[in-house]
Amino acid sequence: MIALRDVCKFYGPFQALTDVNLDIRQGERVVVCGPSGSGKSTMIRCINRLEEHDTGSIIVDGVELDEETRNIRAVRQDVGMVFQQFNLFPHLTVLENLTIGPIRVRRMGRAQAEALGRKFLDRVHIPEQADKYPAQLSGGQQQRVAIARALCMEPRIMLFDEPTSALDPEMINEVLDVMVELAGTGMTMVVVTHEMGFARKVADRIVFMEAGRIVEAAPPEKFFSAPDSERARLFLNQILDH
């Protein structure tokens, strides 16, 4: 579903990604972890062209990401993304936030879009919030709306960029529980997170990054019990002690 080949990304003189190679199969759930500044978010943002890679190639569901606008549009329709911040429109109700994409981008009729929106509000366990505005919801509820909004575009791939990092601790599990359920549906998922309990439970593979490179990639049982690199061992010791 996703193939990165020798991907590099620069911000001026700073190299954020260096020769990144990664294949993600259909239905695979990949958790990307690593210290702050290791390139995790940059990599995931390159997968749906929120950031443009400088060299190498990225192919998503058979479409190469290049300067062709229509290719980018096609990929974004197939790839849902959930960010650290919820990015909901404050002046729209929850249901309106969910239906605006299907109506404007997929040219779906309003009634069909609203039925789809209510279906995914059910999926994330907040159907009763449909007519409220984002400011009336807790952070955890807003992030679940953001997940439902991405699902309303009926993507084949979901990307999550540290989806719980802006939440109060007591709200983290309600969002992770929804993501665990989503993983159970067979959705292809790439998740940047420090939530190692979630990684153990859900991931088919853990990808560990450091200084813009993929240092190692392994199944959870191998990564948590016997990581190959000293850097990954140090990272796990620090993160699991907290």
Side-chain angles (χ1 to χ4, degrees), residues 17-132:
L17 296 176
T18 304
D19 299 329
V20 170
N21 288 281
L22 183 64
D23 288 312
I24 296 169
R25 300 183 305 275
Q26 183 172 347
E28 191 175 16
R29 296 157 310 207
V30 174
V31 165
V32 184
C33 63
S36 180
S38 59
K40 309 181 299 294
S41 292
T42 301
M43 182 181 76
I44 206 172
R45 289 170 68 86
C46 284
I47 291 173
N48 72 345
R49 201 66 170 179
L50 286 173
E51 299 281 359
E52 294 184 18
H53 60 289
D54 292 304
T55 60
S57 65
I58 300 176
I59 299 169
V60 179
D61 200 11
V63 178
E64 180 161 4
L65 292 183
D66 53 27
E67 302 306 321
E68 287 272 347
T69 337
R70 80 173 167 274
N71 285 0
I72 297 167
R73 195 175 299 121
V75 165
R76 285 186 182 157
Q77 287 196 18
D78 270 348
V79 180
M81 184 142 184
V82 178
F83 302 87
Q84 298 177 36
Q85 304 299 332
F86 322 121
N87 295 336
L88 301 174
F89 293 112
H91 62 290
L92 301 181
T93 67
V94 165
L95 190 59
E96 288 167 341
N97 267 282
L98 266 57
T99 58
I100 190 169
I103 290 170
R104 291 195 178 179
V105 178
R106 292 203 179 270
R107 303 285 185 254
M108 193 179 284
R110 184 169 300 279
Q112 186 184 356
E114 289 187 354
L116 192 66
R118 291 185 189 279
K119 169 185 160 184
F120 285 116
L121 284 177
D122 271 337
R123 169 80 66 84
V124 300
H125 310 300
I126 46 171
E128 72 287 353
Q129 309 295 349
D131 298 320
K132 290 187 179 175

Side-chain angles (χ1 to χ4, degrees), residues 11 15 21 62 66 78 86 100 138 148 150 155 157 176 193 209 240:
Y11 295 103
Q15 188 161 1
N21 288 281
D66 53 27
D78 270 348
F86 322 121
I100 190 169
S138 70
I157 300 164
L176 291 177
T193 186
M209 296 186 70
L240 296 177

